[in-house]
Amino acid sequence: MKQALESIRTEVLEAIAAADSKAALEEIRVQALGKKGSVTTILKQMGKLSPEERPVMGALANEVRAAIEEALGARAEAVAAAELEHKLAAERIDVTLPGKASPIGGLHPLTRVLNELKEIFIGMGFSIVEGPEVEYDWYVFEALNMPPEHPARDTQDTFYITDKILLRTQTSSVQIRTMEKQKPPIYIISPGRVYRSDQVDATHSPLFHQIEGLVVDKGITMADLKGTLQLFVNRLFGQDCVIRFRPHHFPYTEPSAEVDVQCFQCGGKGCRLCKGEGWVEILGCGMVHPKVLSGCNIDPEVYSGFAFGIGLERIVMWRYGIDDMRLLYDNDVRFLSQF
Ligand code: DAH
């Protein structure tokens, strides 16, 4: 029996030393120390020994079992470390390799020019406010001195949600919302989307953008309006930019004007861009109508103001030489990546 135990010890320890996985070690453990294992089988035969032999063999058997258990434990640690190392080597990532570059987008030309415009007006002390695109008839028309039968409404046909709620046709609605909330002095611009029933073509879209401006303060005159707009076009188009004020009519300003810029392309001689006129229209403006002021509880005897509305798309098209407005909405990367 002693012989048998010794040879089990030698064999099993050798097998453990050669094992290179957790599974192999477990198999060895079962074969040696399991219920039917070689060491266990020998222990079961202890009963047959003489009382003198029994403690001696018992001690030896325990020694062999302890040696095997210790060897199993040590080898298991070594195997685990080797397995980890192998795994790390296999999954190694070189963090110094250059990454896969994802293409970086840019700002849409409409956003670029709008940002420029905002900068210009912020520089003059204006703040930026926003208004809703789904708006009450009251703010889009009625409070702007356009009662239900006013003919100017026809040219600004839009999508009606109810009789009283519609997609706004002009950012002028924000004038009223601002004056309702805020007492003068008021110096604001309000950019945003507006909607009109228009067929899509190279110069029309049922959705486009405007920037509304409103100033209300004591002692504001037409000279302030002209000075502000002259400074604005100089900042936007350069010092040489020539503008003219052409009398016009808007129900919410009195007097009213449209402002033209001398054609960028031909310098005023007349070309395709300006349709032979030498001038292109850039905005509508005027002195805020006293009825509009008093409708917002601002005393027109104390305060006066001016307002203007600029279309964003045309400016962007001039700025970048874009000849078809649809390009601004197509979201074609070949077009957009040029900016
Ligand atoms: N709302 C006008 C339009 O859509 C533009 C405009 C004209 C705005 C005169 C104004 C203004 O504030 O005073 O054509």
Side-chain angles (χ1 to χ4, degrees), residues 156 169-172 175 196 210 212-213 250 252-253 257 283-286 307-310:
Q156 297 192 11
T169 58
Q170 48 180 359
T171 45
S172 304
Q175 288 187 28
R196 292 187 194 180
Q210 288 187 333
E212 192 75 13
F250 296 105
Y252 33 95
T253 43
L283 58 86
C285 63
F308 53 88
I310 309 168

Side-chain angles (χ1 to χ4, degrees), residues 297-325:
N297 282 323
I298 294 174
D299 186 352
E301 297 297 325
V302 180
Y303 292 102
S304 55
F306 64 78
F308 53 88
I310 309 168
L312 182 60
E313 273 75 358
R314 305 184 69 189
I315 295 181
V316 173
M317 290 165 76
W318 295 331
R319 163 61 58 88
Y320 294 118
I322 299 166
D323 58 7
D324 193 327
M325 194 161 158

